[in-house]
Amino acid sequence: MNQDKKNNCFKDLAGNTFDSPSQIKKILSPYLNDFQIHVGCDSQEKGSYVDFNVSLIFYSSKNGCKIFNFRERHSFFKNRFLRLWHEVTKSLEIANLLNCHCTIHLDLSENEKQFSNALTASGKGYIESYGYTVKTKPDAWAASKVADIFCRD
């Protein structure tokens, strides 16, 4: 169950809030042809709950990037596999709300020695079945770097 209603919106780095990815897309619509859109999610256990952070990154080699974050707090993800799978489904949910092509970065590893590798093939296949481009570790910077940073604060 989501415990933290005040975090159920997107925030930019200046602290401005947005109700949905479509609102962000509408604001940035004049520039969308210049941007690549990336979505990544990470989670962090914090005592009796887990924070999930979805980062929505609009990147342009000409204009830099615009970063928006969505945080969700849950108390019931004790199982690590379920937590990682929720990161996959949350990224897909946000990408579907954008209703445009984007790259989804999964915090899952291609390295067979890593715990998350057990879900990599399933996660990639699931996201690709919706027509999205997928990146996994070590190339999934939107999840393993950007979302990770905002998940830890």
Side-chain angles (χ1 to χ4, degrees):
M1 186 69 161
N2 193 324
Q3 295 179 340
D4 195 3
K5 297 287 186 195
K6 70 178 180 168
N7 285 322
N8 285 346
C9 62
F10 279 85
K11 293 182 183 176
D12 66 12
L13 298 181
N16 300 311
T17 60
F18 304 87
D19 293 329
S20 69
S22 57
Q23 183 185 16
I24 295 166
K25 185 179 163 188
K26 187 175 181 180
I27 292 166
L28 295 176
S29 64
Y31 315 103
L32 281 182
N33 290 336
D34 296 332
F35 284 105
Q36 297 171 2
I37 303 170
H38 301 270
V39 178
C41 183
D42 198 11
S43 60
Q44 181 74 36
E45 288 185 39
K46 297 181 177 178
S48 63
Y49 60 89
V50 177
D51 274 346
F52 290 87
N53 187 83
V54 180
S55 290
L56 180 54
I57 300 123
F58 291 79
Y59 171 77
S60 165
S61 59
K62 294 186 238 174
N63 301 312
C65 70
K66 309 258 187 241
I67 299 174
F68 303 88
N69 293 291
F70 178 87
R71 180 169 289 172
E72 202 173 65
R73 182 167 283 174
H74 290 273
S75 60
F76 60 88
F77 284 92
K78 305 296 185 217
N79 180 306
R80 210 165 149 196
F81 281 109
L82 291 176
R83 192 176 99 210
L84 285 170
W85 191 252
H86 187 70
E87 291 177 15
V88 172
T89 60
K90 196 67 191 174
S91 295
L92 178 62
E93 176 187 334
I94 298 304
N96 283 337
L97 290 172
L98 279 169
N99 195 27
C100 65
H101 180 74
C102 61
T103 301
I104 297 178
H105 296 232
L106 300 178
D107 198 25
L108 304 175
S109 180
E110 295 287 342
N111 183 339
E112 293 178 3
K113 295 178 182 177
Q114 298 298 317
F115 177 83
S116 66
N117 179 262
L119 291 173
T120 300
S122 299
K124 283 176 69 173
Y126 184 56
I127 299 299
E128 287 171 344
S129 74
Y130 282 83
Y132 294 105
T133 303
V134 180
K135 290 187 182 256
T136 57
K137 287 180 178 177
D139 301 317
W141 53 266
S144 62
K145 302 291 187 230
V146 180
D148 177 72
I149 289 169
F150 292 101
C151 207
R152 294 180 183 274
D153 68 2

